[in-house]
Amino acid sequence: MGGTVSEVDLTGRVAIVTGAGGGLGRSHAIALAKHGAKVLVNDLAGDGPSASEVVKEITTLGGEAVAADASVADPAGAAGLVSEALAAFGRLDVVVNNAGILRDRSFVKLTEQEFRDVLEVHLLGAFHLTKAAWPHLKEQGYGRVINTTSPAGLFGNFGQANYSAAKLGLVGFTRTLAIEGRKAGIGVNVIAPLAASKMTETILPAEALAALDPDLVSPLVVYLASEACTHTGGVFTAGGGYFGRVAVTQAPGLVLAAPTPEEIAEQWSTVTDLTGGREFDGGASEQGDWVLSQVAAPSS
Ligand SMILES: NC(=O)c1ccc[n+]([C@@H]2O[C@H](COP(=O)([O-])OP(=O)(O)OC[C@H]3O[C@@H](n4cnc5c(N)ncnc54)[C@H](O)[C@@H]3O)[C@@H](O)[C@H]2O)c1
């Protein structure tokens, strides 16, 4: 195993993949190992998806992996994953925040507990693990963090207010960490996958599930995990072999000298027209500067 034929070579790199006892996480862990990485495979303890089974699969293939049962929602558990990776392999290069749960409910029925539970695993889980890993990545001047959002977060989905909030939260988390990690050689990106898994087996129709093997998403994770990938702060959707970037864009808009609700209503098509819209890879300060430049010298 490890980088003999592939250009994207993770030999010598160490990765943590959370929620990797099954589904997408399992595919990511195996794909990373096939490309030479040593992998700490995490999932919850209990009767569910087993991290140890995935470790067996990787070692059978000739790779190196260790299993670690912990909930990423537990700060100490998440920090423990970093210590275990360092103890087992002596370094840490890649963090794949993949663990997740659903508590789908229409908003009218959604409870505060269900809202909190989903944020705890997806958003705080990624926070706890990345927070523990960050100092090591920063110190070695290299790292790759891959977070997991969802089309539901990017575009909205009925019955998933909790999940959508957590998932778009991860996009904001990614964008800011990409800015903070840039000088330290830490690349941070986020994927919005679409795949057949335990999470989607009762939601997606059979023909969609048949087209959406999780193994078709993991090559993107391997690339984002590699030194070959210098893109940071990106949002990428992937499923069934499709790959494409997703972006937040801002309309050119217009400047009103003395805005009234009526004038805004009248100009609504200009306010909402994204033609010629732009992104702000320099972050919120770049966007703020741009807005101020428009106000100072309105184009129309
Ligand atoms: N499958 C899709 O189409 C799809 C779409 C959008 C986003 N996603 C995201 O992809 C990720 C993987 O999902 P999947 O489809 O493979 O689902 P899955 O249910 O098969 O996998 C999620 C894994 O996370 C584990 N997990 C749950 N809570 C955990 C915790 N607190 N600590 C550690 N592990 C925990 C589960 O045991 C499970 O093995 C999730 O973040 C999910 O939201 C999936």
Short mmCIF file of all heavy atoms in Angstrom, two decimals, residues 254-290:
data_model
loop_
_atom_site.label_atom_id
_atom_site.label_comp_id
_atom_site.label_asym_id
_atom_site.label_seq_id
_atom_site.Cartn_x
_atom_site.Cartn_y
_atom_site.Cartn_z
N LEU A 254 -26.86 47.53 -5.34
CA LEU A 254 -26.86 48.97 -5.68
C LEU A 254 -26.78 49.76 -4.39
O LEU A 254 -27.01 49.23 -3.30
CB LEU A 254 -28.11 49.35 -6.48
CG LEU A 254 -29.41 49.60 -5.70
CD1 LEU A 254 -30.43 50.27 -6.60
CD2 LEU A 254 -29.97 48.32 -5.12
N VAL A 255 -26.42 51.03 -4.53
CA VAL A 255 -26.33 51.91 -3.37
C VAL A 255 -27.46 52.93 -3.46
O VAL A 255 -27.64 53.58 -4.49
CB VAL A 255 -24.96 52.64 -3.32
CG1 VAL A 255 -24.91 53.62 -2.16
CG2 VAL A 255 -23.84 51.61 -3.21
N LEU A 256 -28.21 53.05 -2.39
CA LEU A 256 -29.29 54.05 -2.33
C LEU A 256 -28.88 55.15 -1.35
O LEU A 256 -28.51 54.85 -0.22
CB LEU A 256 -30.59 53.38 -1.87
CG LEU A 256 -31.11 52.24 -2.77
CD1 LEU A 256 -32.31 51.56 -2.12
CD2 LEU A 256 -31.47 52.77 -4.15
N ALA A 257 -28.92 56.37 -1.81
CA ALA A 257 -28.44 57.48 -0.97
C ALA A 257 -29.33 57.69 0.24
O ALA A 257 -28.85 57.94 1.35
CB ALA A 257 -28.39 58.75 -1.82
N ALA A 258 -30.63 57.58 0.06
CA ALA A 258 -31.56 57.76 1.18
C ALA A 258 -32.61 56.64 1.10
O ALA A 258 -33.74 56.88 0.65
CB ALA A 258 -32.20 59.14 1.10
N PRO A 259 -32.19 55.43 1.48
CA PRO A 259 -33.07 54.28 1.23
C PRO A 259 -34.39 54.33 1.99
O PRO A 259 -34.43 54.73 3.15
CB PRO A 259 -32.23 53.09 1.71
CG PRO A 259 -31.15 53.65 2.55
CD PRO A 259 -30.93 55.06 2.13
N THR A 260 -35.43 53.96 1.29
CA THR A 260 -36.75 53.80 1.92
C THR A 260 -37.20 52.37 1.60
O THR A 260 -36.73 51.79 0.61
CB THR A 260 -37.78 54.79 1.33
OG1 THR A 260 -37.93 54.49 -0.07
CG2 THR A 260 -37.35 56.23 1.52
N PRO A 261 -38.10 51.83 2.40
CA PRO A 261 -38.61 50.47 2.09
C PRO A 261 -39.21 50.43 0.68
O PRO A 261 -39.04 49.44 -0.03
CB PRO A 261 -39.69 50.24 3.15
CG PRO A 261 -39.37 51.18 4.25
CD PRO A 261 -38.67 52.36 3.63
N GLU A 262 -39.86 51.50 0.27
CA GLU A 262 -40.51 51.54 -1.05
C GLU A 262 -39.47 51.47 -2.17
O GLU A 262 -39.65 50.76 -3.16
CB GLU A 262 -41.35 52.82 -1.22
CG GLU A 262 -42.56 52.91 -0.30
CD GLU A 262 -42.21 53.25 1.15
OE1 GLU A 262 -41.09 53.72 1.43
OE2 GLU A 262 -43.08 53.04 2.03
N GLU A 263 -38.36 52.20 -1.97
CA GLU A 263 -37.32 52.21 -3.01
C GLU A 263 -36.66 50.83 -3.10
O GLU A 263 -36.34 50.35 -4.19
CB GLU A 263 -36.28 53.30 -2.71
CG GLU A 263 -35.61 53.79 -3.97
CD GLU A 263 -34.64 54.93 -3.71
OE1 GLU A 263 -34.67 55.51 -2.60
OE2 GLU A 263 -33.87 55.24 -4.63
N ILE A 264 -36.45 50.21 -1.94
CA ILE A 264 -35.86 48.85 -1.93
C ILE A 264 -36.80 47.90 -2.66
O ILE A 264 -36.37 47.09 -3.49
CB ILE A 264 -35.59 48.38 -0.47
CG1 ILE A 264 -34.45 49.22 0.13
CG2 ILE A 264 -35.24 46.90 -0.44
CD1 ILE A 264 -34.26 49.05 1.62
N ALA A 265 -38.10 48.02 -2.40
CA ALA A 265 -39.08 47.17 -3.09
C ALA A 265 -38.99 47.39 -4.60
O ALA A 265 -39.00 46.43 -5.38
CB ALA A 265 -40.48 47.48 -2.58
N GLU A 266 -38.85 48.62 -4.99
CA GLU A 266 -38.79 48.95 -6.41
C GLU A 266 -37.53 48.38 -7.07
O GLU A 266 -37.54 47.97 -8.22
CB GLU A 266 -38.81 50.48 -6.56
CG GLU A 266 -39.25 50.95 -7.94
CD GLU A 266 -39.46 52.47 -7.92
OE1 GLU A 266 -40.22 52.96 -7.04
OE2 GLU A 266 -38.83 53.14 -8.74
N GLN A 267 -36.45 48.35 -6.32
CA GLN A 267 -35.15 47.91 -6.85
C GLN A 267 -34.88 46.42 -6.57
O GLN A 267 -33.76 45.95 -6.71
CB GLN A 267 -34.02 48.73 -6.20
CG GLN A 267 -34.07 50.21 -6.51
CD GLN A 267 -33.69 50.51 -7.96
OE1 GLN A 267 -33.19 49.65 -8.67
NE2 GLN A 267 -33.99 51.72 -8.41
N TRP A 268 -35.91 45.70 -6.14
CA TRP A 268 -35.71 44.33 -5.65
C TRP A 268 -34.97 43.44 -6.65
O TRP A 268 -34.13 42.63 -6.28
CB TRP A 268 -37.06 43.71 -5.25
CG TRP A 268 -36.89 42.53 -4.34
CD1 TRP A 268 -37.26 41.24 -4.57
CD2 TRP A 268 -36.28 42.54 -3.03
NE1 TRP A 268 -36.93 40.44 -3.50
CE2 TRP A 268 -36.32 41.22 -2.55
CE3 TRP A 268 -35.69 43.54 -2.23
CZ2 TRP A 268 -35.80 40.85 -1.30
CZ3 TRP A 268 -35.17 43.17 -0.99
CH2 TRP A 268 -35.24 41.84 -0.55
N SER A 269 -35.28 43.61 -7.96
CA SER A 269 -34.63 42.74 -8.95
C SER A 269 -33.12 43.02 -9.00
O SER A 269 -32.33 42.10 -9.21
CB SER A 269 -35.28 42.93 -10.34
OG SER A 269 -35.13 44.26 -10.73
N THR A 270 -32.71 44.24 -8.76
CA THR A 270 -31.26 44.55 -8.73
C THR A 270 -30.63 44.02 -7.44
O THR A 270 -29.52 43.48 -7.45
CB THR A 270 -31.04 46.08 -8.84
OG1 THR A 270 -31.75 46.55 -9.98
CG2 THR A 270 -29.58 46.42 -8.98
N VAL A 271 -31.35 44.18 -6.33
CA VAL A 271 -30.83 43.68 -5.04
C VAL A 271 -30.57 42.18 -5.13
O VAL A 271 -29.57 41.67 -4.61
CB VAL A 271 -31.84 43.99 -3.90
CG1 VAL A 271 -31.43 43.31 -2.60
CG2 VAL A 271 -31.98 45.50 -3.70
N THR A 272 -31.46 41.47 -5.81
CA THR A 272 -31.39 40.00 -5.78
C THR A 272 -30.65 39.40 -6.98
O THR A 272 -30.40 38.19 -6.99
CB THR A 272 -32.81 39.40 -5.74
OG1 THR A 272 -33.55 39.88 -6.86
CG2 THR A 272 -33.53 39.76 -4.45
N ASP A 273 -30.27 40.21 -7.96
CA ASP A 273 -29.64 39.67 -9.17
C ASP A 273 -28.15 39.34 -8.93
O ASP A 273 -27.34 40.24 -8.72
CB ASP A 273 -29.78 40.70 -10.31
CG ASP A 273 -29.26 40.16 -11.63
OD1 ASP A 273 -28.82 38.98 -11.68
OD2 ASP A 273 -29.28 40.91 -12.62
N LEU A 274 -27.84 38.06 -9.00
CA LEU A 274 -26.46 37.63 -8.72
C LEU A 274 -25.55 37.70 -9.94
O LEU A 274 -24.36 37.38 -9.83
CB LEU A 274 -26.47 36.21 -8.16
CG LEU A 274 -26.94 36.08 -6.70
CD1 LEU A 274 -27.21 34.63 -6.35
CD2 LEU A 274 -25.89 36.64 -5.75
N THR A 275 -26.07 38.13 -11.08
CA THR A 275 -25.23 38.24 -12.27
C THR A 275 -24.06 39.18 -11.97
O THR A 275 -24.27 40.29 -11.48
CB THR A 275 -26.05 38.82 -13.46
OG1 THR A 275 -27.25 38.07 -13.57
CG2 THR A 275 -25.26 38.75 -14.76
N GLY A 276 -22.86 38.70 -12.26
CA GLY A 276 -21.68 39.52 -11.95
C GLY A 276 -21.38 39.56 -10.46
O GLY A 276 -20.60 40.40 -10.00
N GLY A 277 -21.97 38.62 -9.73
CA GLY A 277 -21.75 38.57 -8.29
C GLY A 277 -20.33 38.15 -7.95
O GLY A 277 -19.59 37.71 -8.82
N ARG A 278 -19.96 38.30 -6.70
CA ARG A 278 -18.57 37.97 -6.36
C ARG A 278 -18.45 37.26 -5.02
O ARG A 278 -19.34 37.32 -4.18
CB ARG A 278 -17.69 39.21 -6.40
CG ARG A 278 -18.20 40.39 -5.60
CD ARG A 278 -17.17 41.47 -5.58
NE ARG A 278 -15.95 40.97 -4.95
CZ ARG A 278 -14.79 41.63 -4.93
NH1 ARG A 278 -14.68 42.78 -5.52
NH2 ARG A 278 -13.74 41.12 -4.32
N GLU A 279 -17.32 36.59 -4.90
CA GLU A 279 -16.98 35.90 -3.65
C GLU A 279 -15.96 36.74 -2.90
O GLU A 279 -15.35 37.63 -3.49
CB GLU A 279 -16.34 34.54 -3.96
CG GLU A 279 -17.21 33.60 -4.73
CD GLU A 279 -16.46 32.31 -5.04
OE1 GLU A 279 -15.84 31.75 -4.12
OE2 GLU A 279 -16.48 31.90 -6.20
N PHE A 280 -15.78 36.44 -1.65
CA PHE A 280 -14.79 37.17 -0.86
C PHE A 280 -13.88 36.18 -0.15
O PHE A 280 -14.09 35.84 1.02
CB PHE A 280 -15.50 38.10 0.14
CG PHE A 280 -16.30 39.17 -0.55
CD1 PHE A 280 -17.67 39.03 -0.72
CD2 PHE A 280 -15.68 40.30 -1.05
CE1 PHE A 280 -18.41 40.00 -1.38
CE2 PHE A 280 -16.41 41.29 -1.72
CZ PHE A 280 -17.77 41.13 -1.88
N ASP A 281 -12.86 35.72 -0.90
CA ASP A 281 -11.95 34.75 -0.30
C ASP A 281 -11.08 35.37 0.79
O ASP A 281 -10.50 34.66 1.60
CB ASP A 281 -11.10 34.08 -1.39
CG ASP A 281 -11.92 33.04 -2.13
OD1 ASP A 281 -12.89 32.52 -1.54
OD2 ASP A 281 -11.62 32.76 -3.31
N GLY A 282 -11.00 36.69 0.77
CA GLY A 282 -10.25 37.37 1.82
C GLY A 282 -11.06 37.51 3.11
O GLY A 282 -10.60 38.15 4.06
N GLY A 283 -12.26 36.97 3.12
CA GLY A 283 -13.05 36.98 4.35
C GLY A 283 -13.92 38.21 4.51
O GLY A 283 -14.08 39.02 3.59
N ALA A 284 -14.47 38.35 5.71
CA ALA A 284 -15.45 39.40 6.00
C ALA A 284 -14.84 40.80 5.86
O ALA A 284 -15.53 41.75 5.48
CB ALA A 284 -16.01 39.22 7.41
N SER A 285 -13.53 40.92 6.15
CA SER A 285 -12.94 42.26 6.06
C SER A 285 -12.89 42.70 4.59
O SER A 285 -13.13 43.87 4.28
CB SER A 285 -11.55 42.30 6.70
OG SER A 285 -10.72 41.37 6.07
N GLU A 286 -12.61 41.76 3.69
CA GLU A 286 -12.60 42.09 2.25
C GLU A 286 -14.01 42.49 1.80
O GLU A 286 -14.19 43.46 1.07
CB GLU A 286 -12.10 40.89 1.44
CG GLU A 286 -11.94 41.21 -0.04
CD GLU A 286 -11.69 39.97 -0.90
OE1 GLU A 286 -11.20 38.96 -0.38
OE2 GLU A 286 -12.03 40.03 -2.09
N GLN A 287 -15.00 41.75 2.29
CA GLN A 287 -16.39 42.06 1.93
C GLN A 287 -16.78 43.45 2.46
O GLN A 287 -17.41 44.25 1.76
CB GLN A 287 -17.32 40.97 2.49
CG GLN A 287 -18.75 41.06 2.01
CD GLN A 287 -19.67 41.74 3.01
OE1 GLN A 287 -19.22 42.28 4.02
NE2 GLN A 287 -20.95 41.74 2.73
N GLY A 288 -16.37 43.73 3.70
CA GLY A 288 -16.68 45.03 4.30
C GLY A 288 -16.04 46.16 3.52
O GLY A 288 -16.68 47.20 3.25
N ASP A 289 -14.77 45.96 3.12
CA ASP A 289 -14.06 46.99 2.33
C ASP A 289 -14.79 47.22 1.01
O ASP A 289 -14.90 48.36 0.54
CB ASP A 289 -12.61 46.55 2.04
CG ASP A 289 -11.75 46.60 3.29
OD1 ASP A 289 -12.20 47.19 4.30
OD2 ASP A 289 -10.65 46.02 3.27
N TRP A 290 -15.24 46.12 0.41
CA TRP A 290 -15.92 46.23 -0.89
C TRP A 290 -17.23 47.02 -0.74
O TRP A 290 -17.52 47.91 -1.54
CB TRP A 290 -16.20 44.84 -1.47
CG TRP A 290 -16.82 44.92 -2.83
CD1 TRP A 290 -16.19 45.13 -4.02
CD2 TRP A 290 -18.22 44.85 -3.13
NE1 TRP A 290 -17.09 45.18 -5.04
CE2 TRP A 290 -18.36 45.01 -4.53
CE3 TRP A 290 -19.37 44.67 -2.36
CZ2 TRP A 290 -19.60 44.99 -5.18
CZ3 TRP A 290 -20.60 44.65 -2.99
CH2 TRP A 290 -20.71 44.82 -4.39
#
